[in-house]
Structure formats: structure tokens, C-alpha cells
């Protein structure tokens, strides 16, 4: 557990990893851009537990916010630490896009 700007997060802090952008896609996939410039795909269906059930609501899932480098939903009631997003995501390379 660690605290940044009076917000408590589970897991351990990974220096330099922050989310700068989170774009919802079909199938509860997020295209996430990190502070390193790297883009990765994160499957939110892998998030287990009652706290994440609300992401089944498309209206909530499609409206993420990035707060202090952390993806949040539902006005900050749900969040996922950036190091977790990074470790559970996959490299993304857009091909054929000019």
C-alpha cells in the first residue's frame, strides 16, 4: 500500500509509471497511454470482485477519468493503480494507421 496526494492505493509503487490517457474500447478493453509514452491494452473484465461489477454498466465504463496518474470511474469511487494496469496489460501497436 502507498499514499500519493492523500489518496491510498493498494499494491506497490512503481517509480515513473503513471497513466496519462485511458480510452474505452469495445468489450471492456481500455487503450491506456502511460507516462513513458507506451500504449497498452488493458482488459477490465479481468478485474474481479464486487467493486468492479459496476464497470458492466457501459455508461460508467465509457467515462473513465485519469486522476494523479490513476484510472478512475464513477466520480472516483472505483480506481485501479497504474502499476497493476501496466502489469496486466498487453503491448499495443497500431498497424496501418497513417
Amino acid at each position: 500500500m502507498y499514499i500519493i496526494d492523500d489518496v491510498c492505493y493498494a499494491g506497490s509503487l512503481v517509480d515513473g509509471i503513471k497513466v496519462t490517457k485511458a480510452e474505452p474500447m469495445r468489450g471492456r478493453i481500455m487503450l491506456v497511454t502511460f507516462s513513458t509514452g507506451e500504449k497498452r491494452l488493458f482488459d477490465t473484465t479481468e478485474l474481479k470482485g464486487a467493486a468492479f461489477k459496476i464497470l458492466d454498466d457501459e455508461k460508467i465504463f465509457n467515462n473513465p477519468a485519469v486522476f494523479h496518474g490513476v484510472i478512475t470511474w464513477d466520480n472516483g469511487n472505483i480506481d485501479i493503480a497504474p502499476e497493476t494496469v501496466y502489469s496486466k496489460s498487453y503491448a499495443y501497436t497500431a498497424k496501418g494507421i497513417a
Side-chain angles (χ1 to χ4, degrees), residues 8-69:
C8 183
Y9 301 97
S12 34
L13 180 62
V14 176
D15 287 336
I17 293 290
K18 292 184 180 181
V19 172
T20 58
K21 189 174 184 181
E23 301 172 69
M25 301 174 76
R26 282 186 246 147
R28 281 190 44 193
I29 303 292
M30 301 287 298
L31 177 57
V32 181
T33 305
F34 291 90
S35 54
T36 60
E38 187 175 0
K39 290 187 178 195
R40 297 177 64 88
L41 294 173
F42 178 62
D43 183 355
T44 64
T45 64
E46 298 295 318
L47 298 172
K48 303 300 179 196
F52 297 108
K53 185 72 176 153
I54 196 166
L55 294 179
D56 288 339
D57 182 333
E58 221 174 276
K59 196 178 220 181
I60 291 174
F61 171 76
N62 285 329
N63 288 292
V66 176
F67 180 74
H68 295 290

